[in-house]
Amino acid sequence: DVARENINNCYEALERMQAGINLIKEDEKVREAFESANFAMYKQQLRPSDPADVRRIKEFNQTEEKDKQIVFDKEVKEKEIEPKWRPFQIAFILLNLESIVNEDSKYRENVELLWFPTGGGKTEAYLGISAFTLFYRRLIDPSDNGTGIIMRYTLRLLTAQQFDRSSRLICAMEKIRKEKVDIFGDEPFSIGIWVGATTSPNTKEQARTNLDKLNDPKNRDTKSLFIIQSCPWCGAEIGKV
């Protein structure tokens, strides 16, 4: 009985993945959202993951306007990566497309559990789903700028790490949106984090105060309250200089 139930679950997953593929083939908005999500995932993987030396950014700021792009291209190079999904990642994405698009789907209320060993690529799978969802919502309503994705982690350190990775994806999505304002609208894609005042500033004034203390030689022991330590897109260091 257990074996039969597992096989039936496999067939059901296959049917759901096929439904996702059919939507990509037949629905123009689904196809556009799927392609844009894939492109955003690829673009964010290309960006440098190591923080750039802040001196390079200063050099960039002091460069003549006409030469700035040359400096940027020289200092911030994209990595060469062959874009590809692992089988379980693309399976998970295809599996969920129909229930995201169809509000009357019988799987709409499902809680899908994605389990895979650490380092296997779970984050990319749900970030891919997130990108598709946000792009699709914009295609339905270009003025939609409400909360579309909520992520929650049990460990504060993990929250910060995943926020950094998610921010890189949002930057990639925002770049795509600016190139396709006619279909994705004028509202920028954005991301936020709430972890309490002891870890992150709750106001801009608190952020400025913390930054001033970080840059004051007298306050060597000041703890940085900035979750993002470097720009998710260009790698420029953020915080103490």
Side-chain angles (χ1 to χ4, degrees), residues 11-98:
Y11 277 118
E12 182 181 65
L14 175 61
E15 290 176 1
R16 293 178 65 185
M17 284 186 276
Q18 188 61 59
I21 293 173
N22 292 339
L23 277 172
I24 294 170
K25 290 180 177 179
E26 300 166 4
D27 189 311
E28 185 177 344
K29 285 186 171 62
V30 172
R31 182 167 59 254
E32 177 65 45
F34 182 74
E35 290 177 353
S36 297
N38 273 270
F39 190 47
M41 289 297 298
Y42 177 53
K43 292 294 288 182
Q44 62 94 20
Q45 288 180 352
L46 292 178
R47 304 308 297 174
S49 56
D50 298 326
D53 193 311
V54 71
R55 286 172 298 181
R56 295 201 313 220
I57 307 305
K58 286 182 178 178
E59 175 191 348
F60 177 80
N61 290 333
Q62 294 168 359
T63 305
E64 292 293 333
E65 193 67 35
K66 59 183 176 63
D67 297 325
K68 279 192 173 183
Q69 191 60 46
I70 297 176
V71 174
F72 184 81
D73 290 341
K74 180 181 69 173
E75 299 293 3
V76 185
K77 296 180 180 178
E78 292 185 341
K79 299 173 289 185
E80 293 184 5
I81 299 176
E82 180 185 358
K84 59 183 178 181
W85 289 106
R86 294 176 182 175
F88 87 90
Q89 293 172 331
I90 191 61
F92 182 74
I93 293 173
L94 293 173
L95 185 83
N96 284 286
L97 291 191
E98 188 271 338

Side-chain angles (χ1 to χ4, degrees), residues 52-220:
D53 193 311
V54 71
R55 286 172 298 181
R56 295 201 313 220
I57 307 305
K58 286 182 178 178
E59 175 191 348
F60 177 80
N61 290 333
Q62 294 168 359
T63 305
E64 292 293 333
E65 193 67 35
K66 59 183 176 63
D67 297 325
K68 279 192 173 183
Q69 191 60 46
I70 297 176
V71 174
F72 184 81
D73 290 341
K74 180 181 69 173
E75 299 293 3
V76 185
K77 296 180 180 178
E78 292 185 341
K79 299 173 289 185
E80 293 184 5
I81 299 176
E82 180 185 358
K84 59 183 178 181
W85 289 106
R86 294 176 182 175
F88 87 90
Q89 293 172 331
I90 191 61
F92 182 74
I93 293 173
L94 293 173
L95 185 83
N96 284 286
L97 291 191
E98 188 271 338
S99 58
I100 291 174
V101 172
N102 179 15
E103 294 185 3
D104 297 321
S105 171
K106 67 177 183 179
Y107 302 108
R108 183 77 171 187
E109 300 299 321
N110 276 28
V111 176
E112 305 293 351
L113 175 64
L114 178 63
W115 186 91
F116 216 77
T118 300
K122 295 186 296 296
T123 299
E124 285 75 16
Y126 72 71
L127 286 183
I129 280 286
S130 300
F132 171 83
T133 302
L134 295 176
F135 277 129
Y136 184 76
R137 284 178 55 153
R138 286 299 181 85
L139 290 170
I140 299 300
D141 179 7
S143 65
D144 184 349
N145 67 343
T147 301
I149 306 294
I150 297 177
M151 295 184 290
R152 185 178 185 276
Y153 301 93
T154 53
L155 297 175
R156 185 171 291 181
L157 177 60
L158 188 60
T159 300
Q161 292 173 339
Q162 296 298 322
F163 182 70
D164 183 63
R165 296 174 70 176
S166 302
S167 298
R168 193 173 302 161
L169 173 63
I170 291 297
C171 288
M173 292 177 62
E174 179 61 6
K175 183 172 177 60
I176 293 172
R177 182 199 65 81
K178 287 182 176 180
E179 295 171 351
K180 296 184 177 182
V181 176
D182 56 322
I183 61 174
F184 291 129
D186 295 316
E187 295 291 340
F189 287 115
S190 61
I191 187 171
I193 187 171
W194 186 85
V195 286
T198 58
T199 305
S200 176
N202 278 350
T203 65
K204 289 183 179 179
E205 188 57 38
Q206 289 177 344
R208 292 192 189 97
T209 300
N210 184 237
L211 183 60
D212 290 340
K213 289 182 178 179
L214 287 173
N215 290 325
D216 188 343
K218 298 178 182 178
N219 299 308
R220 295 181 179 274

